Amino acid sequence: MTIVGARPQFIKAAPVSRALAAAGLREQIVHTGQHFDAGMSDVFFEELGIPRPAHHLGVSGGGHGVMTGAMLQALEPLMEAEAPDWVLVYGDTNSTLAGALAASKLHIPVAHVEAGLRSFNRRMPEEQNRIVTDHLSDLLLTPTDGATRRLREEGIPDERIVQVGDVMFDAALYYADRAAERSAVLAQHDLVAGTYILATIHRADNTDDPARLRAIMEGLEAVATERPVILPLHPRTRAALERHGRALSKVRAVDPVGYLDMVALERHAALVATDSGGVQKEAYFHGVPCVTLRDETEWTELVDLGWNRLAPPTQVDIAAVIREAVGTSGQEGRPYGDGQAADHIARALRDKRLA
C-alpha cells in the first residue's frame, strides 16, 4: 500500500510504481487528498502514467493536527481491511507521517523512500515528520551517502537501511524527452530558453512570515526588471500574497504547472530560485544553477558541489545572490545514484517480503 498526497510524492511514485509492477508486486495506491486541486494532483497522475488511486481519502486543509488526525482516522480501518505486506511512504509531508504512524501501530512494516534527510531545523514541520517517520520505519531507503550516514549516527541498525539513490533522478531521466516533445510552456509564456528565472515558493516558513515573504518577493521583483521571472503560484503562496496585500508587478505569476511543463521550465531556465527540496535537485539534474530561498537545505551535497547556494530571505540581498549565481556551474559528481533507484526499491521490498 503506497500512501501519497502531495505533488512531490506523485513524481517520486511514478518510477517506483512501474518498478513494482515489473517486479511482480501488487501495489494499491492511497491518495490522502493533501494536494487536492487538479493543478496540483490530477494532472500528475495523467502525465506521469501513475495508476489511479484505489482509495481517495479527501483529507485537505486545516492545521497540522487536524489534517494528520483525519488521515490517521481514515487510514487505520483501511489498513486493517486491506492488510498489506508493506506500507510505502515518501518524503516528509503530513501524509508521510500519517501513513507511517497508522501502519506502525497496526504492526504493518513501513518502508520510507527518501529516508535520512535532515535540515536540522526543528521549526520545519517537514523535519519533524521525517525524523518520526524514519524511527518508525522498518526499511529506510536512502538517496545519498549523507542520508545513510545520518541514520547510522542516530542509532538505526544497518540491516534496516538500504541506499538506493534518488527516485527523482529516475523521473528526470525518464521524462526529459517527453517534456521536450509535449511541452509548449515556453511559447505560451513568451519565454526564450536560457534568459529567464524560474521561481517557486511554497514553504510555510516563507509564506506565513510577512518579513520573509516580503524579502523574497522584493528580491524577485528587482530581478524581474532585468530579465523575465516566472513564478508558478502554489495555492498557499497565492493566499499569503492576498492576505498580506502584496501585489506583483514585474514577476509573471502563473497558475501551477504540470510536471512536463515544469521539467521544460527547469531545463531551459538561466537559474532556478526556490524553497522546494525537489526543485533544487531537478535544477541540478538539468545542469541549471539554483538559489535556495531558505536558511538551510537537506540537500547539502549540491551546496558542496557548487550547484546550489543558500539565500536566507531576511539576511541577504536576494536579488544580488541571484545575479551572482546566473551563469555559474558546479563540479561534476553523482551524489544521487545510478538513475535506477526505483528498481533498487522494488528489489528491496520483494526480497524483504520473501524473507
Side-chain angles (χ1 to χ4, degrees):
M1 180 179 285
T2 294
I3 312 297
V4 293
R7 173 193 181 276
Q9 294 167 333
F10 309 144
I11 297 167
K12 295 165 194 171
V16 175
S17 289
R18 285 194 302 274
L20 293 175
L25 297 174
R26 185 167 62 90
E27 180 188 27
Q28 184 179 77
I29 296 177
V30 178
H31 189 333
T32 64
Q34 185 169 338
H35 281 174
F36 58 90
D37 63 42
M40 297 292 287
S41 177
D42 293 354
V43 66
F44 291 94
F45 283 85
E46 294 162 7
E47 287 187 342
L48 304 181
I50 307 169
R52 303 304 298 180
H55 302 278
H56 197 301
L57 306 184
V59 177
S60 63
H64 292 288
V66 170
M67 181 186 290
T68 308
M71 290 175 184
L72 281 169
Q73 188 174 17
L75 283 170
E76 186 173 71
L78 185 59
M79 290 180 183
E80 287 181 312
E82 299 290 354
D85 297 299
W86 282 99
V87 166
L88 182 66
V89 296
Y90 290 87
D92 54 21
T93 69
N94 289 336
S95 299
T96 311
L97 176 62
L101 191 55
S104 179
K105 286 180 175 289
L106 293 172
H107 309 294
I108 299 171
V110 177
H112 184 201
V113 175
E114 223 172 62
L117 299 184
R118 299 291 182 268
S119 68
F120 302 102
N121 178 2
R122 289 292 186 96
R123 288 179 53 83
M124 292 175 58
E126 296 90 349
E127 181 80 348
Q128 298 161 17
N129 290 344
R130 62 174 70 106
I131 290 171
V132 174
T133 299
D134 279 344
H135 286 269
L136 290 174
S137 295
D138 301 274
L139 180 60
L140 296 106
L141 301 156
T142 61
T144 63
D145 293 340
T148 299
R149 183 175 62 252
R150 281 187 284 274
L151 292 177
R152 288 171 175 158
E153 290 169 352
E154 292 178 13
I156 292 177
D158 279 354
E159 59 265 25
R160 288 165 55 192
I161 304 170
V162 180
Q163 186 167 329
V164 295
D166 195 314
V167 292
M168 292 192 74
F169 187 28
D170 295 28
L173 294 174
Y174 186 84
Y175 290 105
D177 289 342
R178 291 191 182 192
E181 293 170 0
R182 299 184 188 180
S183 176
V185 68
L186 269 68
Q188 289 168 3
H189 296 290
D190 195 27
L191 297 170
V192 177
T195 67
Y196 62 89
I197 306 297
L198 170 65
T200 77
I201 309 298
H202 79 282
R203 289 194 181 269
D205 268 6
N206 286 333
T207 61
D208 296 353
D209 184 321
R212 292 173 72 91
L213 185 65
R214 181 175 63 251
I216 290 169
M217 294 306 167
E218 287 180 353
L220 295 177
E221 284 278 288
V223 173
T225 64
E226 305 157 11
R227 62 171 69 231
V229 175
I230 185 166
L231 173 65
L233 263 185
H234 189 285
R236 177 192 293 145
T237 311
R238 185 182 296 278
L241 290 171
E242 292 173 357
R243 185 169 62 250
H244 297 303
R246 181 156 293 278
L248 298 173
S249 60
K250 302 292 184 183
V251 171
R252 302 184 191 178
V254 300
D255 290 335
V257 299
Y259 181 63
L260 297 182
D261 282 348
M262 190 64 176
V263 168
L265 288 170
E266 290 166 343
R267 289 184 76 185
H268 297 295
L271 178 135
V272 172
T274 186
D275 61 6
S276 161
V279 174
Q280 292 173 48
K281 289 183 297 174
E282 288 168 343
Y284 167 71
F285 298 151
H286 301 305
V288 174
C290 181
V291 171
T292 294
L293 304 169
R294 286 169 51 192
D295 301 342
E296 72 291 302
T297 178
E298 302 80 10
W299 305 103
T300 54
E301 53 279 338
L302 295 183
V303 177
D304 295 339
L305 288 171
W307 285 99
N308 190 9
R309 60 191 71 195
L310 293 174
T314 56
Q315 300 174 35
V316 301
D317 182 337
I318 288 172
V321 176
I322 290 174
R323 292 184 189 110
E324 291 169 5
V326 169
T328 64
S329 61
Q331 304 170 37
E332 292 186 10
R334 295 193 67 179
Y336 299 117
D338 59 5
Q340 299 181 52
D343 292 331
H344 300 318
I345 289 168
R347 192 175 304 115
L349 287 166
R350 185 193 60 202
D351 292 348
K352 291 281 186 180
R353 179 171 176 263
L354 293 175

